[in-house]
């Protein structure tokens, strides 16, 4: 029953669980979450927990990073503050500092060790006058990082996503297993693990190696595993295989490696046939790595191959023999056309999302025949294959279309005909090609599709002009369906762009690329 205040009914507060589910829809909208914290105490409690799920990101300004760290250091226990203040006077809050309203550290769910290290390094570099030497700065960096890890662990934070980055330039030298052993629940619930071994310094590598080697015993529920193994030590390659073997829910795996460090790990994937749904390989040397055994993975739905040596029909054969229903396929920088045709012949009927760069030889000719059900097409095309592209587009019920070409002549040929053949099912379009406003107008005048999202990137060949904007304005008014637009690189980065589009605000939204782009 509603209560009353001054004769007006007041709705009761939603249960915390319901409120959290509602707010999760805003978890990537930081501005809206900040607004929610100002509604009332109940909304504030629920919103703050989501704002601090992933505090360290690449989007933070220097001032935001410093404010973030100051808040965390205010959460330290007094003994830890005293220990640090003895080394770092004037910048670490003392015991007299007011305690924060929330235990912010307990909300941490996603952590990137490199970004954490970089954040602390930034603080120290901005206060470099307080340090007498480089050695002193390294010591302080390590002390501050250890204090933060201790805070996260003792606050009962439980990570569901961890990026363990030991690549060159990483500043984090404090992620030691001795710290994590104080509360293994901190990392035992990880579902998403990203490991980067790229030219690491010996100090960083050997410091992190104990933690890496114990992960197979600590983490058993990883679902997404992403490993850059280019400079992985041979012993770490065996740990990777052990890590895969120990998982019970592994579904998505991505490997990047130009060497043979992932050989045993790839072989171990065959034992995960009951759960594996996605495989991604970037620049794998298939002279050293075999996919034999993966014919048992009948649940696979997504395959990505980017580059790689000796990627041919023998590479694909185990996946073809798996008789799996592949829904998403990406083929990037794979130049053995006959092996690609054979692969598409076997898996194309179930494909819904196809990404292929570049088109070579007779591949385009077989796409309409072998891939009749695709709804998402992302393709790089050159003039010899434009007629086949138009045939493919007109024959499929495409909903999403991304076309790339670097040639001004090719882009003119494409848009002069494309508007006439795009299907009425299409609502998302990216034209990543040099387009004058005249040719953009030609396309939009012919376009029958009820586009909702339009992305045009002609940079660096052709720059945004008011003619481009006017062309889009006319299309928007005429069709009445367009809602989201991005032009150029990154959208509205320049003030004069804002002047061009100000008058269109009542018709649609010009948004940054990362807000509207669709990728599979």
């Amino acid at each position: 029953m509603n209560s009353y205040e001054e004769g007006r009914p007041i709705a009761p507060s939603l249960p915390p669980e319901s409120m959290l589910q509602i707010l999760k829809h805003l978890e990537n909208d930081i501005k809206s979450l900040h607004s929610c914290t100002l509604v009332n105490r109940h909304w504030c409690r629920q919103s703050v927990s989501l704002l601090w799920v992933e505090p360290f990101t690449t989007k933070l300004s220097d001032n935001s990073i410093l404010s973030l760290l100051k808040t965390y250091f205010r959460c330290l226990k007094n003994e830890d503050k005293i220990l640090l203040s003895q080394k770092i006077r004037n910048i670490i809050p003392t015991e007299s500092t007011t305690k924060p309203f929330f235990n912010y550290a307990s909300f941490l769910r996603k952590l990137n060790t490199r970004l954490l290290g970089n954040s602390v390094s930034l603080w120290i570099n901005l206060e470099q006058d307080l340090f007498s030497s480089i050695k002193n700065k390294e010591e302080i960096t390590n002390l501050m990082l250890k204090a933060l890890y201790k805070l996260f662990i003792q606050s009962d934070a439980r990570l569901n996503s961890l990026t363990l980055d030991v690549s060159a330039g990483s500043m984090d030298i404090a992620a030691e297993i001795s710290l994590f052993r104080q509360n293994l629940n901190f990392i035992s619930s990880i579902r998403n693990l990203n490991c980067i071994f790229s030219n690491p310094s010996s100090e960083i590598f050997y410091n992190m190696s104990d933690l890496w080697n114990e992960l197979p015993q600590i983490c058993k529920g990883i679902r997404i595993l992403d490993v850059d193994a280019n400079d992985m030590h041979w012993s770490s390659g065996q740990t990777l295989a052990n890590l895969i073997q120990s998982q019970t829910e592994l579904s998505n795996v991505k490997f990047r490696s130009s060497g043979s460090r992932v050989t045993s790990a790839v072989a171990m994937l065959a034992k995960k046939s009951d759960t594996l749904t996605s495989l991604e390989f970037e620049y794998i040397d298939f002279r050293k790595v075999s996919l034999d055994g993966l014919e048992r993975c009948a649940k696979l739905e997504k395959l990505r191959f980017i580059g790689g040596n000796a990627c041919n029909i023998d590479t694909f054969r185990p996946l073809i023999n798996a008789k799996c229903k592949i829904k998403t396929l990406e083929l990037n920088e794979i130049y053995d056309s006959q092996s690609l045709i054979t692969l598409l012949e076997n898996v194309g009927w179930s494909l819904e999302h196809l990404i292929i760069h570049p088109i070579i030889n007779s591949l385009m000719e077989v796409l309409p025949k072998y891939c009749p059900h695709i709804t998402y097409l992302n393709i790089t095309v050159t003039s010899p294959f434009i007629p086949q592209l138009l045939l493919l587009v007109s024959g499929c019920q495409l909903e999403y279309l991304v076309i790339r070409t670097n040639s001004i002549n090719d882009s003119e040929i494409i848009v002069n005909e494309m508007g006439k053949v795009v299907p009425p099912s299409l609502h998302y379009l990216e034209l990543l090609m040099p387009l004058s406003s005249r040719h953009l107008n030609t396309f939009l005048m012919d376009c029958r599709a009820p586009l909702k999202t339009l992305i045009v990137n002609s940079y660096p060949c052709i720059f945004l002009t008011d003619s481009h904007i006017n062309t889009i304005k006319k299309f928007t008014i005429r069709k009445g369906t367009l809602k989201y637009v991005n032009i150029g690189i990154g959208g509205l980065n320049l003030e004069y762009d804002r002047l061009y589009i100000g008058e269109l605000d009542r018709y649609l939204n010009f948004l940054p690329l990362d807000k509207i782009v669709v990728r599979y």
Side-chain angles (χ1 to χ4, degrees), residues 2 9 167 252 271 346 443 488 511:
N2 290 347
S167 57
N252 296 33
K271 296 186 178 181
N346 284 271
F443 171 80
L511 294 176

Side-chain angles (χ1 to χ4, degrees), residues 156-215:
D156 291 326
R158 299 191 68 158
L159 296 181
N160 56 38
S161 177
L162 173 64
T163 297
L164 191 62
D165 191 338
V166 294
S167 57
S170 176
M171 296 301 298
D172 193 340
I173 55 177
E176 300 170 348
I177 188 60
S178 58
L179 282 169
F180 291 90
R181 281 202 190 101
Q182 296 177 22
N183 181 9
L184 291 179
N185 287 332
F186 180 56
I187 55 174
S188 63
S189 298
I190 290 173
R191 295 292 178 263
N192 187 337
L193 179 63
N194 183 4
C195 302
I196 303 172
F197 296 84
S198 181
N199 194 25
S201 69
S202 57
E203 182 180 14
I204 298 291
F205 178 81
Y206 287 110
N207 179 71
M208 293 254 190
S209 61
D210 287 340
L211 172 60
W212 169 247
N213 290 334
E214 291 204 26
L215 283 180

Side-chain angles (χ1 to χ4, degrees), residues 459-510:
Y459 182 86
C461 300
I462 297 174
F463 290 92
L464 169 68
T465 68
D466 53 354
S467 296
H468 287 88
I469 296 298
N470 286 329
T471 295
I472 295 174
K473 177 183 177 181
K474 292 176 183 177
F475 177 79
T476 303
I477 296 172
R478 177 168 56 87
K479 295 291 288 188
T481 59
L482 198 61
K483 294 182 178 180
Y484 308 106
V485 171
N486 177 279
I487 294 181
I489 47 174
L492 316 178
N493 293 325
L494 302 176
E495 280 304 315
Y496 60 79
D497 288 352
R498 296 183 184 277
L499 296 177
Y500 282 137
I501 66 165
E503 61 181 291
L504 288 180
D505 285 345
R506 60 193 172 114
Y507 298 114
L508 46 77
N509 294 313
F510 276 73

Side-chain angles (χ1 to χ4, degrees), residues 10-58:
I10 301 174
S13 298
L14 286 171
E17 296 80 7
S18 301
M19 189 72 184
L20 192 58
Q21 288 301 315
I22 293 172
L23 290 174
K24 276 186 176 180
H25 291 282
L26 298 175
E27 60 184 348
N28 295 318
D29 189 342
I30 302 302
K31 184 177 180 179
S32 295
L33 283 174
H34 273 294
S35 298
C36 289
T37 64
L38 304 176
V39 174
N40 56 39
R41 291 183 180 181
H42 181 60
W43 281 52
C44 183
R45 291 191 197 99
Q46 301 302 321
S47 304
V48 163
S49 63
L50 293 176
L51 281 168
W52 289 78
V53 163
E54 186 180 13
F56 301 98
T57 71
T58 57

